[in-house]
Amino acid sequence: MAERTTEQGPAELGNVVALRDVSVRRFTTDQVILDGVDWTVRPGEHWALLGANGAGKTTLLRLLGALMHPTTGTVEVLGGRLGRIDVRELRARLGHVTSAQRVPQDLSAHTVVLTGHSGTVQPLWKTYDDEVRQRAHELLAELGIKELAERPYGVCSGGQRARVLIARALMAEPALLLLDEPFNALDLPSREDLVEAMHRLAEGRPRLATVTVTHHLEELSPAVSHALLLREGRILARGPVAEVLTGPWLTACFGRPIAVNRHEGRWWAYSAPRG
């Protein structure tokens, strides 16, 4: 099946992300992880990144987070090209959330958010003035968890932890927020709380761009505007969600019949009967 794309022309000034003919190869095994990826993310766009395990989603997110370089092609993030910019400075301007982040369990939720200002695991108290501390409280409120400010991170639920980590990532005022399976292992109420929080975040920050890696369409908030489907390291489809999150495209992506439905901005998918 031919690749589907609805993107326009070459990258223009002001793109949040611009990937051109990007490939990643594992030198030890000569395995191609990503192959010929072209992709643009613009301010205010909210992308869902989907594909089967091993499709290249994590590698693609690592490129956007300046955690690795491509083997070939160009990766530009927030106006800086990997290989020509100090990646430490670039990472400080990105928000990156993953459940694998190391967080001391005894820190309060407010302190965890504060560490986003210094970009450290442990708090650097001398760097947090009253304005910074107040901002951390405001971000907890924005994510709907202001009552957790003094609660130890280790006793927060999975959904609460996810929202604390997002608040932490927002301390840097990023233009791009990367979310690597933020819904992992959440129960239904926690998932819905996080979906609502992401929707409010998108509405309140019209210039913020997000990229969310997920395995389940049910985890997408109504704010998600675009989707990219990866299959075996290549882009299968990309563009507005209504054109990409369809039964035929997801069937091609996952290799089995998939039916897709949408109601009031929310999606769900299931494996349709074969034959």
Side-chain angles (χ1 to χ4, degrees), residues 143-165:
L143 271 297
I145 48 173
K146 63 181 180 180
E147 73 281 1
L148 302 181
E150 301 309 318
R151 183 177 300 182
Y153 180 82
V155 301
C156 292
S157 70
Q160 291 167 344
R161 291 186 187 191
R163 284 185 280 168
V164 169
L165 292 179

Side-chain angles (χ1 to χ4, degrees), residues 4-275:
R4 172 66 177 272
T5 174
T6 61
E7 290 189 298
Q8 305 296 315
E12 71 256 12
L13 211 56
N15 287 333
V16 176
V17 169
L19 277 63
R20 294 293 173 259
D21 197 23
V22 167
S23 295
V24 174
R25 184 182 299 270
R26 184 171 290 132
F27 289 107
T28 54
T29 61
D30 205 36
Q31 178 187 4
V32 177
I33 310 299
L34 293 174
D35 188 12
V37 171
D38 292 304
W39 184 26
T40 299
V41 176
R42 298 176 177 86
E45 292 181 345
H46 301 284
W47 284 79
L49 179 55
L50 298 103
N53 289 337
K57 301 185 300 297
T58 297
T59 299
L60 186 51
L61 208 67
R62 285 175 58 82
L63 288 172
L64 302 189
L67 297 173
M68 63 181 299
H69 288 72
T71 305
T72 58
T74 61
V75 176
E76 294 184 359
V77 181
L78 304 183
R81 180 175 296 186
L82 297 190
R84 297 183 181 178
I85 189 173
D86 186 334
V87 293
R88 294 169 299 182
E89 294 181 1
L90 179 57
R91 290 172 193 156
R93 297 160 54 206
L94 297 169
H96 201 160
V97 176
T98 170
S99 58
Q101 282 176 288
R102 294 180 300 152
V103 178
Q105 302 294 291
D106 60 334
L107 296 183
S108 70
H110 181 257
T111 301
V112 172
V113 177
L114 281 177
T115 64
H117 177 76
S118 51
T120 58
V121 175
Q122 293 288 347
L124 298 180
W125 295 111
K126 292 182 179 180
T127 67
Y128 311 140
D129 59 20
D130 290 343
E131 182 178 347
V132 170
R133 292 168 187 262
Q134 179 58 31
R135 172 156 172 70
H137 281 296
E138 291 170 354
L139 287 170
L140 287 170
E142 186 175 0
L143 271 297
I145 48 173
K146 63 181 180 180
E147 73 281 1
L148 302 181
E150 301 309 318
R151 183 177 300 182
Y153 180 82
V155 301
C156 292
S157 70
Q160 291 167 344
R161 291 186 187 191
R163 284 185 280 168
V164 169
L165 292 179
I166 292 171
R168 179 184 185 275
L170 292 172
M171 283 295 287
E173 285 290 349
L176 175 62
L177 183 62
L178 306 173
L179 301 149
D180 190 1
E181 297 189 46
F183 298 87
N184 187 32
L186 298 188
D187 60 20
L188 180 59
S190 296
R191 183 194 76 186
E192 291 303 296
D193 286 343
L194 184 53
V195 167
E196 291 176 4
M198 292 305 300
H199 193 193
R200 291 195 305 269
L201 188 67
E203 289 183 329
R205 296 171 178 261
R207 296 287 294 173
L208 177 68
T210 66
V211 177
T212 303
V213 172
T214 182
H215 288 287
H216 305 288
L217 268 61
E218 294 82 359
E219 297 171 348
L220 302 180
S221 91
V224 172
S225 57
H226 294 73
L228 183 150
L229 305 183
L230 277 177
R231 181 176 174 86
E232 298 177 349
R234 296 187 64 87
I235 293 179
L236 179 69
R238 65 184 174 199
V241 285
E243 299 178 18
V244 174
L245 298 184
T246 66
W249 282 116
L250 289 173
T251 295
C253 184
F254 290 100
R256 65 180 300 154
I258 302 292
V260 179
N261 289 284
R262 190 182 192 187
H263 178 65
E264 295 183 350
R266 296 295 299 278
W267 301 84
W268 72 98
Y270 57 93
S271 184
R274 297 179 186 268

